[in-house]
Amino acid sequence: MSKLVSPEELLRQTEYMKKCEDILKKTFVNRQPICYVHSYGCQGNVADGEKIKGMLAEMGYGLSNSAEGADVVIFNTCAIRENAQDRVYGNLGMLIHYKKKNPAMIIGLCGCMVQQDHVARRLKEVFPGVNLVFGTHVIHQLPEFMYNILSNSSKIYNITESNGVIAEGLPIVRESNFKASVPISYGCNNFCTYCIVPYVKGRERSRSFDSIYSEVKELVSNGYKEIMLLGQNVNSYGSDLDSGVNFSYLLSKINEIDADFRIRFMTSHPKDATKELIDTIARCDKVCKHLHLPVQCGSNKILKAMNRKYTVSQYLKIIDYAKNKIPNISFTSDIIVGFPGETYSDFKETLKLVEQVKYSSLFMFIFSPRRGTKAELMSDSIPKEEKSRWLSELINCQNEISAKVHESYVGRTERVLFDGVGRTNDNMLTGRTDTNLVVDCEKFNLKIGEFADIKITKAHRMALVGELV
Ligand code: 5AD
Ligand code: SF4
C-alpha cells in the first residue's frame, strides 16, 4: 500500500521554499539566480526533473539550458547501464571545472545512480565540490536541503529509503506545453535479474486513480495534446491499491475525457499484458495503437535466467492477439544482447523472434552488469567483441524490418502530432503518427503542438515523409 507524504510535511517544504526565496532575494540583489537541471535516462526521470525544476522555480531560480554560469546545477542521474553512469561522471568533471571559475556554484546529484551506497560514498570521497546528493525517495525534501546549503553552507548526503512514499502536489515546470508525462506508479517489484531499478527506485507503488485522473483532466483542459502514462510496469497499476482499479480501467476512464488528445503509455511488462489490455487499446479511440512490449530475448532459457516470467510462445500469443484485434498496431521492444550464459544459438532465437514480430523499431543494448543484481554474479564467458558482433547483426536485421514497416505506410493518411523542427532541414517539421512512427513534412500550414492529417508519400528506414492533406 502506498503512503502519501503527509500534508504537514509538504507544508513544511513549502515553507522552506519561501525561506530559500528570502535568502536568495538578499544574496542576488541585481539579478535573478539561475539553475540548470539535467535529467539522464528514462522518461520517469525526466518527470522527476520537472518537479525539481518546479521546486527551484518556486524558490526564485530562473531556468537555464546550460550549466555554464548557473548558480545551481542538478544532475538527475540514471543507473540502468554502466555507460549511463560514465556519462554522469564525465559531465561532473566538466561541472567541477566551471566551479573553479564560480566557487559559489551549488552542485547537486540525485536519482537512481546516487541511490546506490557505493556511488554516494564515492561522490563524498572523490568529489568534494559536490554540495548535495539526494536519492530517489526524498526528492520532495529538496527545499529543506537547499535551505540548509544556502543558510549554513552545509553539505548534504541523503539517500534514505522511505519504503515507498508518493508526494502529490509538488510544483512542476513541464518541458513541453503540448506533451506531458504523467507517472501512474513508481518503483518496480519484478526483479529481472539484470536490472538495478527495483534496488534504486524501491517497491512498486501506484498513485491513486483520482490524482492521476485530475492531473490529466487539468492538462488536457490546458490544451495538452499527448499524455504519456508512465510506470516501470503500467500493467500492474493498481495492484497495491484497495480501490480495485486496474490499468485498463484507468485507460478507459481517461479515454472518456472530452477533449482532443492522445494517450500513450509505457512500459508494459509482457507477463502482465492481458487480452483485456489489448481490447481496451482497440476500443479506446484516444489510446495510440502502439505497444512497447520489451521482450529482452528470444530464448526461453535466457528469459528464465532473466526472471522474466513468460516464454517466447506466451509473448507471441499476446502479439498475435493484438495484431488480430488492431490491424495497424505497431510494436517496439527492448532487447539485451549477451546476457550471461547466452550462446550464439540463443541469440539466433532472438533474431527469429524479431523477424516474426516485425517491430517498427527496437532499443538494443549489450548486457551491462549492475552491482547488487543477481546477473552480476552469473558467469559470463562471451567476450565483449563477440557481443558487439551479435548486436550489429541484430541492428542490421531490424534495419531491414524497420524499412519494410515504414514502406508499408506509403499512400496511407496518418494523423500526426508535430513536435519539433526537422532534424536536417529547417523548412520541415517533424512529428509522430498514432503508431509512433516519425513523419517529416514541409512546415507550410503546420504548427508544432498540433495535429494534422498527413498523406505519406515516401519512406526512409527510420522516418516517413508526407504532405498535408
Ligand atoms: N544491461 C543492459 N540493458 C539493460 N536494461 C536494463 N538493465 C540492463 C542491463 N543491466 C535495458 C532493458 C530495459 C531497458 C530500459 O534497459 O532492455 O527494458
Ligand atoms: Fe527492471 Fe524488470 Fe522492473 Fe523493468 S520490469 S524496471 S526491467 S526489474
Side-chain angles (χ1 to χ4, degrees):
M1 186 67 197
S2 57
K3 284 184 298 187
L4 289 180
V5 175
S6 69
E8 296 75 32
E9 173 60 16
L10 288 175
L11 186 65
R12 211 169 66 86
Q13 296 302 331
T14 308
E15 281 160 8
Y16 276 121
M17 287 194 251
K18 183 86 196 67
K19 287 186 195 169
C20 289
E21 189 181 10
D22 292 342
I23 297 178
L24 290 170
K25 271 189 185 145
K26 284 183 201 133
T27 323
F28 293 86
V29 185
N30 298 318
R31 68 170 177 97
Q32 187 187 21
I34 299 294
C35 71
Y36 172 68
V37 178
H38 184 76
S39 293
Y40 297 80
C42 68
Q43 300 196 46
N45 243 24
V46 174
D48 284 342
E50 293 182 332
K51 291 182 182 131
I52 292 168
K53 284 186 192 171
M55 289 184 275
L56 290 169
E58 287 275 312
M59 295 173 211
Y61 284 100
L63 301 172
S64 164
N65 45 22
S66 153
E68 194 168 11
D71 302 292
V72 175
V73 177
I74 308 254
F75 283 168
N76 183 20
T77 63
C78 170
I80 197 88
R81 284 169 291 278
E82 196 62 33
N83 57 8
Q85 292 199 176
D86 292 344
R87 212 168 307 140
V88 173
Y89 281 125
N91 291 345
L92 182 57
M94 175 202 69
L95 272 192
I96 303 286
H97 172 73
Y98 289 151
K99 190 159 176 158
K100 285 198 183 115
K101 286 192 253 169
N102 172 17
M105 176 191 262
I106 296 170
I107 298 180
L109 275 89
C110 63
C112 293
M113 173 177 158
V114 310
Q115 188 65 44
Q116 305 166 93
D117 279 329
H118 67 96
V119 173
R121 230 177 305 123
R122 177 171 171 198
L123 289 169
K124 204 169 189 170
E125 285 160 12
V126 184
F127 295 93
V130 172
N131 307 72
L132 168 61
V133 171
F134 61 113
T136 57
H137 300 256
V138 292
I139 291 175
H140 61 280
Q141 280 174 258
L142 177 62
E144 180 177 357
F145 302 149
M146 284 298 296
Y147 173 75
N148 286 325
I149 293 170
L150 292 171
S151 60
N152 56 31
S153 309
S154 54
K155 283 201 178 164
I156 288 160
Y157 296 87
N158 187 330
I159 56 165
T160 322
E161 287 183 33
S162 65
N163 197 14
V165 291
I166 294 183
E168 289 292 352
L170 297 179
I172 303 182
V173 173
R174 296 198 185 264
E175 303 272 312
S176 157
N177 60 4
F178 60 91
K179 275 165 62 162
S181 294
V182 176
I184 65 167
S185 62
Y186 300 95
C188 184
N189 289 348
N190 293 312
F191 289 94
C192 302
T193 52
Y194 50 81
C195 187
I196 192 85
V197 169
Y199 302 92
V200 291
K201 292 252 198 240
R203 293 298 67 70
E204 181 180 89
R205 49 221 184 263
S206 303
R207 290 178 71 195
S208 74
F209 172 83
D210 290 343
S211 325
I212 299 166
Y213 186 81
S214 50
E215 183 172 342
V216 174
K217 210 158 177 189
E218 190 181 334
L219 285 164
V220 300
S221 72
N222 287 329
Y224 276 81
K225 297 286 193 306
E226 184 174 299
I227 303 296
M228 169 67 90
L229 304 174
L230 289 178
Q232 299 298 337
N233 176 12
V234 292
N235 298 335
S236 55
Y237 169 76
S239 55
D240 57 327
L241 301 173
D242 8 287
S243 52
V245 296
N246 70 5
F247 184 57
S248 294
Y249 176 84
L250 179 71
L251 276 181
S252 308
K253 283 292 162 192
I254 293 177
N255 188 68
E256 283 170 19
I257 299 175
D258 185 20
D260 184 21
F261 70 105
R262 55 160 64 147
I263 306 163
R264 294 194 186 280
F265 58 86
M266 72 189 305
T267 297
S268 266
H269 193 307
K271 79 177 166 63
D272 301 311
T274 56
K275 289 183 177 171
E276 184 195 12
L277 172 73
I278 306 299
D279 294 345
T280 308
I281 301 171
R283 184 169 36 81
C284 294
D285 60 325
K286 298 188 180 88
V287 176
C288 289
K289 307 307 179 229
H290 164 230
L291 191 56
H292 181 63
L293 201 62
V295 67
Q296 310 299 357
C297 182
S299 143
N300 284 330
K301 178 188 96 191
I302 299 299
L303 285 174
K304 192 151 199 288
M306 287 176 162
N307 191 32
R308 291 291 287 177
K309 301 195 177 90
Y310 53 83
T311 61
V312 172
S313 76
Q314 285 164 335
Y315 181 87
L316 289 173
K317 220 164 158 182
I318 197 76
I319 293 275
D320 282 342
Y321 184 79
K323 281 182 178 169
N324 284 327
K325 267 267 152 162
I326 311 165
N328 285 332
I329 192 168
S330 76
F331 302 102
T332 52
S333 199
D334 297 343
I335 289 185
I336 298 177
V337 170
F339 186 80
E342 185 174 345
T343 60
Y344 187 66
S345 103
D346 293 313
F347 171 70
K348 284 285 234 197
E349 293 190 54
T350 301
L351 288 178
K352 189 171 148 212
L353 177 135
V354 164
E355 276 164 6
Q356 234 168 314
V357 178
K358 298 193 174 50
Y359 298 105
S360 55
S361 63
L362 274 183
F363 298 93
M364 298 163 270
F365 313 102
I366 290 183
F367 169 70
S368 165
R370 309 313 297 129
R371 194 160 336 164
T373 61
K374 281 200 176 153
E376 185 205 5
L377 305 173
M378 295 179 186
S379 81
D380 187 1
S381 56
I382 307 290
K384 187 85 199 258
E385 304 72 51
E386 174 126 19
K387 293 184 181 185
S388 299
R389 279 196 294 275
W390 296 0
L391 181 69
S392 307
E393 203 174 332
L394 179 61
I395 293 173
N396 290 338
C397 166
Q398 179 56 38
N399 280 348
E400 283 182 26
I401 297 166
S402 295
K404 282 193 192 130
V405 172
H406 283 76
E407 272 161 31
S408 73
Y409 276 69
V410 175
R412 270 159 61 170
T413 296
E414 294 286 319
R415 193 158 193 248
V416 175
L417 178 62
F418 285 93
D419 56 13
V421 286
R423 286 146 299 164
T424 50
N425 184 340
D426 279 356
N427 292 322
M428 308 281 273
L429 289 190
T430 178
R432 282 186 187 259
T433 63
D434 179 305
T435 51
N436 210 30
L437 268 61
V438 173
V439 179
D440 294 321
C441 200
E442 257 187 52
K443 202 149 86 179
F444 181 67
N445 271 347
L446 295 172
K447 252 175 100 175
I448 291 179
E450 304 225 328
F451 291 109
D453 286 331
I454 301 296
K455 172 113 190 255
I456 308 302
T457 53
K458 215 161 98 185
H460 297 298
R461 199 176 63 208
M462 292 299 172
L464 302 166
V465 182
E467 54 197 35
L468 187 62
V469 175

